[in-house]
Amino acid sequence: MADELVRVYVPATVPMLARLREQGLAVDEAHAVTPELREWYAEGDEEELEYVAFTRAAQDALLLLRADPAAPRRRVVVSADLPASSVGRVDGELGSSVVRLAGPVPVATVAAIHVDGAEAIDDVAASAEVIAEARAGDPDAQFTVDGAEDHELEWYDATELDLLLREVS
């Protein structure tokens, strides 16, 4: 019997995308629709739950940008379909969408790549500076992060990776 696939949302940066084809995305955690998330959002349909997991991955991309000041100031989320056996549960609290990944995310599993457009760069840069403070409850920092979240990430097919890298690098 074939392993069931799980859609995961992987936070990333443009430099991580540049290594995707050769090395995959070497990350330990991603976001997905988990039992904890389903229980927390009992009224949400599958699309709404996926949007929550996607949005949380975009927030985590801000943390990656904070850690890599040289990276272009664009949030990146990679949607990938991984075998369920390579996606582990994290003993998460109610509402958690975090999953543990067994290894790098291969380019062949990528369903889509989502990246901020040029108009979001200033808001994303400001948000990357204060994301840790926002997560700690600082309302001013959260206001700044909300400014980045007002921007929808642009959608690219996995086959457009090289084009995307030329556009955003």
Side-chain angles (χ1 to χ4, degrees):
M1 185 169 137
D3 202 358
E4 182 182 339
L5 294 179
V6 175
R7 172 66 51 98
V8 296
Y9 303 96
V10 185
T13 62
V14 171
M16 291 169 71
L17 280 183
R19 297 186 296 269
L20 173 59
R21 191 176 313 289
E22 289 76 30
Q23 302 169 13
L25 287 176
V27 294
D28 297 329
E29 292 182 343
H31 292 269
V33 177
T34 62
E36 294 84 3
L37 186 63
R38 281 186 205 288
E39 189 174 342
W40 183 257
Y41 290 93
E43 301 298 315
D45 65 17
E46 192 68 17
E47 191 172 308
E48 290 170 315
L49 295 172
E50 288 178 0
Y51 185 75
V52 169
F54 175 87
T55 302
R56 290 177 179 174
Q59 291 170 352
D60 283 355
L62 290 171
L63 290 171
L64 294 173
L65 289 173
R66 182 176 178 136
D68 184 359
R73 304 285 93 178
R74 296 178 190 238
R75 296 170 298 167
V76 176
V77 175
V78 176
S79 297
D81 295 318
L82 298 176
S85 60
S86 68
V87 179
R89 304 236 340 244
V90 174
D91 287 332
E93 57 194 52
L94 189 62
S96 175
S97 61
V98 177
V99 293
R100 185 147 339 273
L101 303 180
V105 176
V107 70
T109 65
V110 173
I113 303 166
H114 314 269
V115 182
D116 275 309
E119 74 286 346
I121 290 173
D122 291 342
D123 288 335
V124 170
S127 296
E129 293 296 318
V130 299
I131 183 63
E133 292 83 354
R135 288 222 167 146
D138 180 320
D140 292 331
Q142 186 59 53
F143 181 79
T144 300
V145 170
D146 290 344
E149 291 180 358
D150 287 342
H151 297 278
E152 291 290 324
L153 278 73
E154 297 174 355
W155 182 93
Y156 292 85
D157 187 80
T159 61
E160 298 176 290
L161 177 60
D162 294 330
L163 169 70
L164 171 61
L165 288 171
R166 281 194 298 276
E167 286 181 7
V168 300
S169 294

